[in-house]
Short mmCIF file of all heavy atoms in Angstrom, two decimals:
data_model
loop_
_atom_site.label_atom_id
_atom_site.label_comp_id
_atom_site.label_asym_id
_atom_site.label_seq_id
_atom_site.Cartn_x
_atom_site.Cartn_y
_atom_site.Cartn_z
N GLN G 164 -16.28 1.38 7.94
CA GLN G 164 -15.58 1.65 9.19
C GLN G 164 -15.05 0.40 9.87
O GLN G 164 -14.25 0.48 10.79
CB GLN G 164 -16.52 2.41 10.14
CG GLN G 164 -16.68 3.85 9.68
CD GLN G 164 -17.66 4.62 10.50
OE1 GLN G 164 -18.39 4.06 11.30
NE2 GLN G 164 -17.68 5.92 10.29
N ASP G 167 -12.99 -2.67 13.94
CA ASP G 167 -11.88 -2.38 14.87
C ASP G 167 -12.30 -1.59 16.10
O ASP G 167 -11.97 -1.95 17.22
CB ASP G 167 -10.78 -1.60 14.13
CG ASP G 167 -9.81 -2.52 13.44
OD1 ASP G 167 -10.14 -3.70 13.31
OD2 ASP G 167 -8.74 -2.04 13.03
N GLU G 168 -13.01 -0.49 15.87
CA GLU G 168 -13.35 0.36 17.01
C GLU G 168 -14.28 -0.36 17.98
O GLU G 168 -14.15 -0.21 19.19
CB GLU G 168 -13.98 1.66 16.52
CG GLU G 168 -12.94 2.58 15.91
CD GLU G 168 -13.50 3.92 15.46
OE1 GLU G 168 -14.27 4.54 16.22
OE2 GLU G 168 -13.17 4.35 14.35
N GLU G 170 -14.35 -3.61 18.45
CA GLU G 170 -13.53 -4.60 19.16
C GLU G 170 -12.71 -3.92 20.25
O GLU G 170 -12.55 -4.44 21.35
CB GLU G 170 -12.61 -5.34 18.18
CG GLU G 170 -13.38 -6.36 17.36
CD GLU G 170 -12.47 -7.14 16.42
OE1 GLU G 170 -11.37 -6.69 16.14
OE2 GLU G 170 -12.90 -8.23 15.98
N ALA G 171 -12.20 -2.74 19.93
CA ALA G 171 -11.42 -2.00 20.93
C ALA G 171 -12.31 -1.68 22.13
O ALA G 171 -11.91 -1.87 23.28
CB ALA G 171 -10.86 -0.72 20.32
N ALA G 172 -13.53 -1.22 21.86
CA ALA G 172 -14.44 -0.86 22.94
C ALA G 172 -14.74 -2.08 23.81
O ALA G 172 -14.71 -2.00 25.05
CB ALA G 172 -15.74 -0.29 22.36
N VAL G 173 -15.01 -3.20 23.18
CA VAL G 173 -15.33 -4.41 23.94
C VAL G 173 -14.14 -4.87 24.76
O VAL G 173 -14.28 -5.27 25.92
CB VAL G 173 -15.81 -5.52 22.97
CG1 VAL G 173 -15.99 -6.82 23.71
CG2 VAL G 173 -17.11 -5.12 22.32
N SER G 174 -12.94 -4.78 24.16
CA SER G 174 -11.76 -5.23 24.92
C SER G 174 -11.48 -4.31 26.10
O SER G 174 -10.81 -4.68 27.05
CB SER G 174 -10.53 -5.32 24.00
OG SER G 174 -9.98 -4.05 23.80
N LEU G 175 -12.03 -3.09 26.04
CA LEU G 175 -11.86 -2.17 27.17
C LEU G 175 -12.96 -2.36 28.21
O LEU G 175 -13.04 -1.62 29.18
CB LEU G 175 -11.85 -0.72 26.68
CG LEU G 175 -10.60 -0.32 25.89
CD1 LEU G 175 -10.82 0.98 25.16
CD2 LEU G 175 -9.40 -0.22 26.80
N GLY G 176 -13.83 -3.34 27.95
CA GLY G 176 -14.84 -3.68 28.95
C GLY G 176 -16.22 -3.13 28.70
O GLY G 176 -17.11 -3.30 29.52
N ALA G 177 -16.45 -2.47 27.54
CA ALA G 177 -17.76 -1.91 27.27
C ALA G 177 -18.76 -3.01 26.91
O ALA G 177 -18.40 -3.96 26.22
CB ALA G 177 -17.68 -0.89 26.15
N SER G 178 -20.01 -2.87 27.36
CA SER G 178 -21.03 -3.85 26.99
C SER G 178 -21.44 -3.59 25.54
O SER G 178 -21.11 -2.56 24.97
CB SER G 178 -22.24 -3.69 27.90
OG SER G 178 -22.80 -2.40 27.71
N GLY G 179 -22.18 -4.53 24.96
CA GLY G 179 -22.63 -4.39 23.58
C GLY G 179 -23.43 -3.11 23.39
O GLY G 179 -23.24 -2.38 22.42
N LYS G 181 -23.43 -0.36 25.25
CA LYS G 181 -22.61 0.84 25.40
C LYS G 181 -21.71 1.04 24.20
O LYS G 181 -21.48 2.16 23.76
CB LYS G 181 -21.76 0.74 26.68
CG LYS G 181 -22.54 1.16 27.90
CD LYS G 181 -21.63 1.63 29.03
CE LYS G 181 -22.44 2.27 30.12
NZ LYS G 181 -22.02 1.83 31.46
N THR G 182 -21.20 -0.07 23.66
CA THR G 182 -20.37 0.02 22.45
C THR G 182 -21.17 0.65 21.32
O THR G 182 -20.71 1.54 20.63
CB THR G 182 -19.91 -1.39 22.03
OG1 THR G 182 -19.21 -1.97 23.11
CG2 THR G 182 -19.02 -1.33 20.81
N ARG G 185 -21.97 4.48 22.22
CA ARG G 185 -20.87 5.42 22.36
C ARG G 185 -19.84 5.31 21.23
O ARG G 185 -19.04 6.23 21.07
CB ARG G 185 -20.18 5.21 23.71
CG ARG G 185 -21.18 5.44 24.83
CD ARG G 185 -20.55 5.65 26.15
NE ARG G 185 -19.36 6.49 26.12
CZ ARG G 185 -18.68 6.81 27.21
NH1 ARG G 185 -19.07 6.36 28.37
NH2 ARG G 185 -17.61 7.55 27.12
N VAL G 186 -19.86 4.21 20.49
CA VAL G 186 -18.87 4.08 19.41
C VAL G 186 -19.54 4.01 18.03
O VAL G 186 -19.27 4.81 17.16
CB VAL G 186 -17.96 2.85 19.64
CG1 VAL G 186 -17.01 2.67 18.47
CG2 VAL G 186 -17.19 3.01 20.93
N PRO G 189 -22.28 7.23 17.14
CA PRO G 189 -21.65 8.52 16.82
C PRO G 189 -20.87 8.48 15.52
O PRO G 189 -20.80 9.49 14.82
CB PRO G 189 -20.70 8.77 18.00
CG PRO G 189 -21.21 7.92 19.10
CD PRO G 189 -21.86 6.74 18.46
N ASN G 190 -20.33 7.33 15.18
CA ASN G 190 -19.55 7.24 13.95
C ASN G 190 -20.41 7.29 12.70
O ASN G 190 -19.92 7.58 11.62
CB ASN G 190 -18.74 5.94 13.93
CG ASN G 190 -17.40 6.12 14.61
OD1 ASN G 190 -16.97 7.24 14.84
ND2 ASN G 190 -16.76 5.03 14.93
N LYS G 192 -23.44 8.98 12.56
CA LYS G 192 -24.55 9.93 12.77
C LYS G 192 -24.92 10.70 11.50
O LYS G 192 -26.09 10.90 11.23
CB LYS G 192 -24.27 10.86 13.93
CG LYS G 192 -23.02 11.69 13.83
CD LYS G 192 -22.93 12.66 15.00
CE LYS G 192 -21.76 13.58 14.83
NZ LYS G 192 -20.59 13.19 15.60
N GLN G 271 -15.64 15.00 6.90
CA GLN G 271 -15.29 13.92 7.83
C GLN G 271 -14.42 12.88 7.13
O GLN G 271 -13.41 12.43 7.66
CB GLN G 271 -16.59 13.27 8.36
CG GLN G 271 -16.36 12.22 9.42
CD GLN G 271 -15.77 12.83 10.68
OE1 GLN G 271 -16.22 13.87 11.15
NE2 GLN G 271 -14.75 12.20 11.24
N LEU G 274 -10.94 13.99 6.73
CA LEU G 274 -10.19 13.86 7.99
C LEU G 274 -9.78 12.42 8.22
O LEU G 274 -8.66 12.12 8.59
CB LEU G 274 -11.05 14.35 9.17
CG LEU G 274 -11.17 15.87 9.31
CD1 LEU G 274 -12.10 16.23 10.45
CD2 LEU G 274 -9.79 16.47 9.56
N ASP G 275 -10.73 11.50 7.97
CA ASP G 275 -10.43 10.08 8.18
C ASP G 275 -9.32 9.64 7.25
O ASP G 275 -8.46 8.85 7.62
CB ASP G 275 -11.68 9.22 7.92
CG ASP G 275 -12.69 9.40 9.04
OD1 ASP G 275 -12.30 9.97 10.08
OD2 ASP G 275 -13.84 8.99 8.87
N GLU G 277 -6.94 11.43 6.06
CA GLU G 277 -5.67 11.91 6.61
C GLU G 277 -5.22 10.99 7.73
O GLU G 277 -4.05 10.68 7.87
CB GLU G 277 -5.84 13.34 7.15
CG GLU G 277 -5.70 14.37 6.06
CD GLU G 277 -6.23 15.72 6.48
OE1 GLU G 277 -6.24 16.00 7.69
OE2 GLU G 277 -6.64 16.48 5.59
N GLN G 278 -6.19 10.57 8.52
CA GLN G 278 -5.86 9.69 9.64
C GLN G 278 -5.26 8.40 9.14
O GLN G 278 -4.39 7.81 9.76
CB GLN G 278 -7.13 9.39 10.46
CG GLN G 278 -6.90 8.38 11.56
CD GLN G 278 -8.04 8.34 12.54
OE1 GLN G 278 -9.01 9.08 12.44
NE2 GLN G 278 -7.95 7.47 13.51
N HIS G 279 -5.74 7.96 7.97
CA HIS G 279 -5.25 6.68 7.45
C HIS G 279 -4.04 6.85 6.55
O HIS G 279 -3.46 5.89 6.12
CB HIS G 279 -6.37 5.95 6.71
CG HIS G 279 -7.28 5.24 7.66
ND1 HIS G 279 -7.04 3.96 8.09
CD2 HIS G 279 -8.39 5.65 8.30
CE1 HIS G 279 -7.98 3.62 8.93
NE2 HIS G 279 -8.80 4.62 9.08
N ASP G 281 -0.88 7.80 6.92
CA ASP G 281 0.39 7.15 7.26
C ASP G 281 0.16 5.78 7.87
O ASP G 281 1.07 5.14 8.36
CB ASP G 281 1.20 8.03 8.22
CG ASP G 281 0.36 8.55 9.34
OD1 ASP G 281 -0.87 8.35 9.29
OD2 ASP G 281 0.90 9.14 10.26
N VAL G 282 -1.08 5.34 7.82
CA VAL G 282 -1.39 4.05 8.42
C VAL G 282 -1.38 2.96 7.36
O VAL G 282 -1.09 1.81 7.63
CB VAL G 282 -2.78 4.12 9.10
CG1 VAL G 282 -3.24 2.77 9.52
CG2 VAL G 282 -2.70 5.04 10.32
N THR G 283 -1.68 3.35 6.12
CA THR G 283 -1.84 2.33 5.09
C THR G 283 -0.52 1.97 4.43
O THR G 283 -0.48 1.13 3.57
CB THR G 283 -2.82 2.81 4.01
OG1 THR G 283 -2.50 4.17 3.72
CG2 THR G 283 -4.23 2.71 4.48
N GLY G 284 0.55 2.61 4.86
CA GLY G 284 1.84 2.39 4.23
C GLY G 284 2.21 0.94 4.07
O GLY G 284 2.39 0.44 2.96
N GLU G 285 2.29 0.24 5.19
CA GLU G 285 2.78 -1.13 5.13
C GLU G 285 1.76 -2.00 5.85
O GLU G 285 1.27 -1.66 6.91
CB GLU G 285 4.11 -1.20 5.85
CG GLU G 285 5.00 -2.30 5.38
CD GLU G 285 6.30 -2.29 6.16
OE1 GLU G 285 6.87 -1.20 6.31
OE2 GLU G 285 6.69 -3.34 6.62
N ARG G 286 1.45 -3.12 5.28
CA ARG G 286 0.45 -3.98 5.90
C ARG G 286 0.86 -5.42 5.80
O ARG G 286 1.34 -5.86 4.78
CB ARG G 286 -0.89 -3.83 5.18
CG ARG G 286 -1.93 -3.13 6.02
CD ARG G 286 -3.29 -3.40 5.43
NE ARG G 286 -4.01 -4.20 6.37
CZ ARG G 286 -5.28 -3.99 6.63
NH1 ARG G 286 -5.94 -3.06 6.03
NH2 ARG G 286 -5.89 -4.77 7.50
N ALA G 287 0.69 -6.13 6.86
CA ALA G 287 0.94 -7.57 6.82
C ALA G 287 0.08 -8.24 7.87
O ALA G 287 -0.25 -7.65 8.89
CB ALA G 287 2.40 -7.86 7.08
N GLY G 288 -0.35 -9.46 7.57
CA GLY G 288 -1.17 -10.18 8.56
C GLY G 288 -0.29 -11.05 9.32
O GLY G 288 -0.46 -12.03 9.81
N SER E 37 3.29 -13.54 6.86
CA SER E 37 1.85 -13.33 6.71
C SER E 37 1.15 -14.68 6.65
O SER E 37 1.64 -15.59 6.00
CB SER E 37 1.56 -12.58 5.42
OG SER E 37 2.11 -11.31 5.47
N GLY E 38 0.01 -14.76 7.33
CA GLY E 38 -0.77 -15.98 7.26
C GLY E 38 -0.23 -17.11 8.12
O GLY E 38 -0.65 -18.25 7.99
N LYS E 41 -0.21 -15.85 13.56
CA LYS E 41 0.21 -15.14 14.77
C LYS E 41 -0.85 -14.16 15.27
O LYS E 41 -1.10 -14.09 16.46
CB LYS E 41 1.57 -14.45 14.55
CG LYS E 41 1.63 -13.54 13.34
CD LYS E 41 3.07 -13.21 13.02
CE LYS E 41 3.21 -12.08 12.01
NZ LYS E 41 2.46 -12.21 10.75
N THR E 42 -1.47 -13.44 14.35
CA THR E 42 -2.51 -12.50 14.77
C THR E 42 -3.73 -13.26 15.31
O THR E 42 -4.34 -12.85 16.29
CB THR E 42 -2.91 -11.58 13.59
OG1 THR E 42 -1.79 -10.78 13.27
CG2 THR E 42 -4.06 -10.68 13.95
N ARG E 46 -5.50 -12.80 18.91
CA ARG E 46 -6.93 -12.51 19.08
C ARG E 46 -7.63 -13.57 19.91
O ARG E 46 -8.58 -13.28 20.63
CB ARG E 46 -7.59 -12.38 17.70
CG ARG E 46 -7.14 -11.12 16.96
CD ARG E 46 -7.69 -11.09 15.55
NE ARG E 46 -9.14 -11.06 15.53
CZ ARG E 46 -9.85 -9.94 15.61
NH1 ARG E 46 -9.26 -8.78 15.67
NH2 ARG E 46 -11.17 -9.98 15.61
N VAL E 71 -14.58 -11.39 26.09
CA VAL E 71 -13.47 -10.41 25.99
C VAL E 71 -13.50 -9.42 27.13
O VAL E 71 -12.47 -9.08 27.71
CB VAL E 71 -13.60 -9.51 24.74
CG1 VAL E 71 -12.24 -9.02 24.32
CG2 VAL E 71 -14.38 -10.14 23.64
N ARG E 72 -14.70 -8.89 27.41
CA ARG E 72 -14.76 -7.77 28.34
C ARG E 72 -14.47 -8.19 29.77
O ARG E 72 -14.22 -7.35 30.62
CB ARG E 72 -16.11 -7.04 28.23
CG ARG E 72 -17.32 -7.89 28.39
CD ARG E 72 -18.57 -7.05 28.23
NE ARG E 72 -18.86 -6.76 26.84
CZ ARG E 72 -19.61 -7.52 26.06
NH1 ARG E 72 -20.12 -8.64 26.51
NH2 ARG E 72 -19.84 -7.19 24.81
N VAL E 76 -7.85 -7.67 29.33
CA VAL E 76 -6.66 -7.74 28.51
C VAL E 76 -6.50 -6.39 27.82
O VAL E 76 -7.48 -5.81 27.39
CB VAL E 76 -6.84 -8.85 27.46
CG1 VAL E 76 -5.82 -8.73 26.37
CG2 VAL E 76 -6.79 -10.20 28.12
N PHE E 80 -4.52 -2.42 18.60
CA PHE E 80 -4.75 -2.87 17.25
C PHE E 80 -3.71 -2.34 16.28
O PHE E 80 -3.11 -1.29 16.51
CB PHE E 80 -6.14 -2.43 16.79
CG PHE E 80 -7.23 -3.13 17.53
CD1 PHE E 80 -7.62 -2.70 18.79
CD2 PHE E 80 -7.86 -4.23 16.99
CE1 PHE E 80 -8.61 -3.36 19.48
CE2 PHE E 80 -8.85 -4.89 17.67
CZ PHE E 80 -9.23 -4.46 18.92
N GLN E 81 -3.55 -3.07 15.19
CA GLN E 81 -2.56 -2.70 14.19
C GLN E 81 -2.78 -1.27 13.68
O GLN E 81 -1.84 -0.52 13.53
CB GLN E 81 -2.63 -3.68 13.03
CG GLN E 81 -1.54 -3.47 12.03
CD GLN E 81 -1.61 -4.47 10.90
OE1 GLN E 81 -2.53 -5.28 10.81
NE2 GLN E 81 -0.65 -4.40 10.01
N HIS E 82 -4.05 -0.94 13.43
CA HIS E 82 -4.32 0.42 12.95
C HIS E 82 -4.91 1.26 14.07
O HIS E 82 -5.71 2.16 13.82
CB HIS E 82 -5.22 0.37 11.72
CG HIS E 82 -4.55 -0.33 10.57
ND1 HIS E 82 -3.44 0.20 9.96
CD2 HIS E 82 -4.78 -1.52 9.98
CE1 HIS E 82 -3.03 -0.63 9.02
NE2 HIS E 82 -3.82 -1.68 9.02
N TYR E 83 -4.54 0.93 15.27
CA TYR E 83 -4.85 1.68 16.50
C TYR E 83 -6.31 1.67 16.93
O TYR E 83 -6.60 1.64 18.11
CB TYR E 83 -4.37 3.14 16.42
CG TYR E 83 -3.09 3.31 15.65
CD1 TYR E 83 -2.97 4.25 14.64
CD2 TYR E 83 -2.01 2.49 15.91
CE1 TYR E 83 -1.79 4.38 13.91
CE2 TYR E 83 -0.82 2.60 15.19
CZ TYR E 83 -0.72 3.54 14.19
OH TYR E 83 0.42 3.65 13.48
N ALA E 84 -7.25 1.73 15.94
CA ALA E 84 -8.68 1.71 16.27
C ALA E 84 -9.04 2.74 17.32
O ALA E 84 -9.84 2.46 18.22
CB ALA E 84 -9.11 0.30 16.72
N LEU E 85 -8.49 3.93 17.23
CA LEU E 85 -8.90 4.99 18.15
C LEU E 85 -10.33 5.40 17.79
O LEU E 85 -10.72 5.34 16.64
CB LEU E 85 -7.97 6.19 18.04
CG LEU E 85 -6.51 5.95 18.45
CD1 LEU E 85 -5.71 7.23 18.31
CD2 LEU E 85 -6.43 5.43 19.88
N PHE E 86 -11.07 5.84 18.81
CA PHE E 86 -12.45 6.31 18.54
C PHE E 86 -12.35 7.68 17.88
O PHE E 86 -11.95 8.65 18.51
CB PHE E 86 -13.25 6.37 19.83
CG PHE E 86 -13.23 5.06 20.59
CD1 PHE E 86 -12.83 5.01 21.90
CD2 PHE E 86 -13.61 3.88 19.96
CE1 PHE E 86 -12.80 3.81 22.59
CE2 PHE E 86 -13.58 2.68 20.64
CZ PHE E 86 -13.18 2.64 21.96
N ARG E 87 -12.72 7.71 16.61
CA ARG E 87 -12.39 8.92 15.83
C ARG E 87 -13.21 10.13 16.23
O ARG E 87 -12.82 11.26 15.97
CB ARG E 87 -12.52 8.63 14.34
CG ARG E 87 -13.93 8.33 13.88
CD ARG E 87 -13.93 7.80 12.48
NE ARG E 87 -13.86 6.33 12.49
CZ ARG E 87 -13.72 5.59 11.42
NH1 ARG E 87 -13.59 6.16 10.26
NH2 ARG E 87 -13.70 4.28 11.51
N HIS E 88 -14.37 9.89 16.83
CA HIS E 88 -15.21 11.05 17.19
C HIS E 88 -14.94 11.54 18.61
O HIS E 88 -15.62 12.42 19.09
CB HIS E 88 -16.67 10.68 17.02
CG HIS E 88 -17.09 9.59 17.96
ND1 HIS E 88 -16.79 8.27 17.71
CD2 HIS E 88 -17.69 9.62 19.15
CE1 HIS E 88 -17.24 7.54 18.73
NE2 HIS E 88 -17.77 8.33 19.61
N MET E 89 -13.98 10.92 19.29
CA MET E 89 -13.68 11.36 20.66
C MET E 89 -12.29 11.99 20.68
O MET E 89 -11.40 11.56 19.94
CB MET E 89 -13.62 10.15 21.60
CG MET E 89 -14.93 9.46 21.83
SD MET E 89 -14.64 8.12 23.01
CE MET E 89 -16.05 7.10 22.63
N PHE E 97 -12.09 6.08 28.08
CA PHE E 97 -13.23 5.23 27.68
C PHE E 97 -13.42 4.00 28.57
O PHE E 97 -14.51 3.75 29.10
CB PHE E 97 -13.07 4.81 26.23
CG PHE E 97 -14.25 4.02 25.69
CD1 PHE E 97 -15.35 4.67 25.17
CD2 PHE E 97 -14.25 2.63 25.72
CE1 PHE E 97 -16.43 3.97 24.68
CE2 PHE E 97 -15.33 1.91 25.23
CZ PHE E 97 -16.42 2.59 24.71
N GLY E 98 -12.35 3.24 28.74
CA GLY E 98 -12.44 1.99 29.51
C GLY E 98 -12.93 2.21 30.93
O GLY E 98 -13.60 1.33 31.50
N SER E 100 -14.77 5.01 31.89
CA SER E 100 -16.08 5.67 31.95
C SER E 100 -17.22 4.76 31.52
O SER E 100 -18.38 5.09 31.75
CB SER E 100 -16.07 6.95 31.11
OG SER E 100 -15.81 6.63 29.77
N VAL E 101 -16.92 3.62 30.89
CA VAL E 101 -18.04 2.72 30.53
C VAL E 101 -18.33 1.71 31.64
O VAL E 101 -19.24 0.90 31.50
CB VAL E 101 -17.79 1.93 29.22
CG1 VAL E 101 -17.77 2.86 28.03
CG2 VAL E 101 -16.52 1.10 29.29
N ARG E 102 -17.58 1.76 32.72
CA ARG E 102 -17.87 0.83 33.81
C ARG E 102 -19.21 1.14 34.44
O ARG E 102 -19.68 2.27 34.39
CB ARG E 102 -16.77 0.94 34.86
CG ARG E 102 -15.48 0.33 34.39
CD ARG E 102 -14.53 0.16 35.53
NE ARG E 102 -13.26 -0.34 35.02
CZ ARG E 102 -12.12 -0.25 35.69
NH1 ARG E 102 -12.10 0.30 36.90
NH2 ARG E 102 -11.01 -0.72 35.17
N PRO E 134 -8.04 12.21 17.17
CA PRO E 134 -7.08 11.27 16.55
C PRO E 134 -6.59 11.73 15.19
O PRO E 134 -5.42 11.57 14.86
CB PRO E 134 -7.89 9.98 16.44
CG PRO E 134 -8.85 10.05 17.56
CD PRO E 134 -9.21 11.51 17.71
N SER E 135 -7.50 12.34 14.39
CA SER E 135 -7.09 12.72 13.04
C SER E 135 -6.05 13.84 13.05
O SER E 135 -5.44 14.12 12.03
CB SER E 135 -8.31 13.16 12.23
OG SER E 135 -8.99 14.17 12.91
N GLY E 139 1.12 9.26 13.24
CA GLY E 139 0.98 7.83 13.47
C GLY E 139 1.58 7.38 14.78
O GLY E 139 0.98 6.62 15.54
N ARG E 142 -0.54 8.45 17.68
CA ARG E 142 -1.76 7.64 17.78
C ARG E 142 -1.46 6.30 18.44
O ARG E 142 -2.22 5.80 19.26
CB ARG E 142 -2.34 7.39 16.40
CG ARG E 142 -3.18 8.52 15.95
CD ARG E 142 -3.67 8.24 14.56
NE ARG E 142 -3.63 9.47 13.82
CZ ARG E 142 -3.57 9.56 12.50
NH1 ARG E 142 -3.56 8.47 11.79
NH2 ARG E 142 -3.56 10.71 11.92
N ARG E 149 -4.63 4.09 26.20
CA ARG E 149 -6.03 3.69 26.35
C ARG E 149 -6.12 2.26 26.89
O ARG E 149 -6.95 1.96 27.75
CB ARG E 149 -6.74 3.78 24.99
CG ARG E 149 -8.20 3.46 25.04
CD ARG E 149 -8.85 3.63 23.70
NE ARG E 149 -8.39 2.62 22.76
CZ ARG E 149 -8.86 2.50 21.52
NH1 ARG E 149 -9.77 3.34 21.08
NH2 ARG E 149 -8.41 1.56 20.73
N VAL E 153 -7.19 0.70 31.80
CA VAL E 153 -8.05 -0.23 32.54
C VAL E 153 -7.21 -1.19 33.40
O VAL E 153 -7.74 -2.16 33.93
CB VAL E 153 -8.97 -1.04 31.59
CG1 VAL E 153 -9.98 -0.11 30.95
CG2 VAL E 153 -8.18 -1.75 30.53
N GLU E 162 1.04 -6.14 15.58
CA GLU E 162 1.90 -5.37 14.66
C GLU E 162 2.01 -3.92 15.12
O GLU E 162 1.65 -3.00 14.39
CB GLU E 162 1.33 -5.39 13.23
CG GLU E 162 1.28 -6.76 12.61
CD GLU E 162 2.53 -7.13 11.84
OE1 GLU E 162 3.47 -6.32 11.83
OE2 GLU E 162 2.58 -8.23 11.27
N GLY E 165 3.99 -1.67 12.68
CA GLY E 165 3.97 -2.04 11.27
C GLY E 165 3.65 -0.89 10.34
O GLY E 165 4.08 -0.86 9.21
N ALA E 166 2.85 0.08 10.84
CA ALA E 166 2.38 1.12 9.93
C ALA E 166 3.19 2.40 10.04
O ALA E 166 2.80 3.41 9.51
CB ALA E 166 0.92 1.41 10.24
N ARG E 172 9.53 4.14 14.17
CA ARG E 172 9.46 2.77 14.62
C ARG E 172 10.58 2.50 15.63
O ARG E 172 10.36 1.93 16.70
CB ARG E 172 9.59 1.84 13.42
CG ARG E 172 9.08 0.46 13.68
CD ARG E 172 9.33 -0.43 12.51
NE ARG E 172 8.89 0.17 11.24
CZ ARG E 172 8.77 -0.51 10.14
NH1 ARG E 172 9.03 -1.79 10.12
NH2 ARG E 172 8.38 0.08 9.03
N HIS E 195 6.11 -9.21 11.94
CA HIS E 195 6.65 -10.03 10.85
C HIS E 195 8.08 -9.62 10.59
O HIS E 195 8.71 -10.08 9.64
CB HIS E 195 5.79 -9.86 9.60
CG HIS E 195 5.81 -8.47 9.07
ND1 HIS E 195 4.98 -7.49 9.56
CD2 HIS E 195 6.57 -7.88 8.14
CE1 HIS E 195 5.24 -6.36 8.94
NE2 HIS E 195 6.20 -6.56 8.07
#
Side-chain angles (χ1 to χ4, degrees):
Chain G
Q164 287 176 348
D167 273 14
E168 286 183 45
E170 284 182 341
V173 173
S174 80
L175 290 166
S178 63
K181 277 204 169 135
T182 303
R185 300 197 41 179
V186 176
N190 272 345
K192 59 175 186 261
Q271 185 65 45
L274 283 177
D275 288 347
E277 276 164 26
Q278 175 167 358
H279 279 272
D281 47 352
V282 170
T283 43
E285 206 180 314
R286 249 197 114 139
Chain E
S37 296
K41 53 195 192 308
T42 295
R46 291 174 62 86
V71 206
R72 54 181 78 90
V76 165
F80 292 81
Q81 187 179 4
H82 297 294
Y83 325 130
L85 296 181
F86 306 125
R87 66 191 92 187
H88 64 281
M89 292 182 202
F97 185 85
S100 62
V101 293
R102 287 194 184 161
S135 54
R142 277 177 219 158
R149 183 178 68 177
V153 293
E162 296 270 2
R172 200 184 311 193
H195 63 276

